[in-house]
Amino acid sequence: MDCLFCKIASGSIPVKRVYEDEHVIAFPDIHPQAPTHILLIPKRHFGSLAQTSVEDAGLLGHLLAAAAEVARQQQVAPGDGGGGYRLVVNTGEDGGQTVEHLHVHLLGGRHMGWPPG
Ligand code: 5GP
Ligand code: ZN
């Protein structure tokens, strides 16, 4: 499949893997929007969160738990030397999604404003 993040997951496009397990890999965003900006993706292709269902709850929960793990590793987790972080899942055109493979942004290292742009 002609999908950028599938190619990253398979290793055909190399990235610095800051975290990897059976289901998930994490790597730095190429255009960081914060001092810490990591992308977490499932190895399995989903076009977006909109293409998941409750049957995928296990994998989606795993993705969130992996994000918390990476936040600790990157020292942005509150109580682990950091001040907190934000997870973002842009979904579809209005959601600002540009890469059509489900991914979670982990942003930290600065204060995040609200509402988001
Ligand atoms: P989206 O806009 O879909 O929520 O997020 C896609 C993200 O992927 C963007 O933040 C963009 O900077 C990042 N990105 C796009 N192409 C690459 C790439 O080839 N390598 C890495 N590491 N990040 C990428
Ligand atoms: Zn994909």
Side-chain angles (χ1 to χ4, degrees):
M1 183 186 292
D2 191 25
C3 168
L4 174 65
F5 286 177
C6 281
K7 288 177 185 164
I8 286 176
S10 73
S12 66
I13 296 177
V15 291
K16 181 185 171 199
R17 296 180 182 222
V18 300
Y19 175 88
E20 178 168 14
D21 64 31
E22 187 185 348
H23 300 296
V24 170
I25 71 165
F27 51 94
D29 196 291
I30 202 167
H31 292 127
Q33 302 300 318
T36 297
H37 188 172
I38 304 291
L39 298 173
L40 292 102
I41 65 170
K43 291 181 174 177
R44 180 178 158 198
H45 180 87
F46 294 92
S48 78
L49 188 67
Q51 292 182 14
T52 66
S53 73
V54 287
E55 288 174 12
D56 305 308
L59 178 62
L60 294 171
H62 190 94
L63 200 53
L64 271 188
E69 183 70 29
V70 174
R72 286 188 287 271
Q73 174 214 93
Q74 297 289 316
Q75 298 187 305
V76 294
D80 282 292
Y85 53 89
R86 181 172 292 173
L87 303 181
V88 175
V89 183
N90 295 326
T91 305
E93 196 181 339
D94 280 358
Q97 184 177 3
T98 59
V99 176
E100 292 190 358
H101 179 126
L102 173 62
H103 51 282
V104 176
H105 296 259
L106 166 64
L107 297 150
R110 65 168 170 82
H111 184 76
M112 302 292 153
W114 192 264

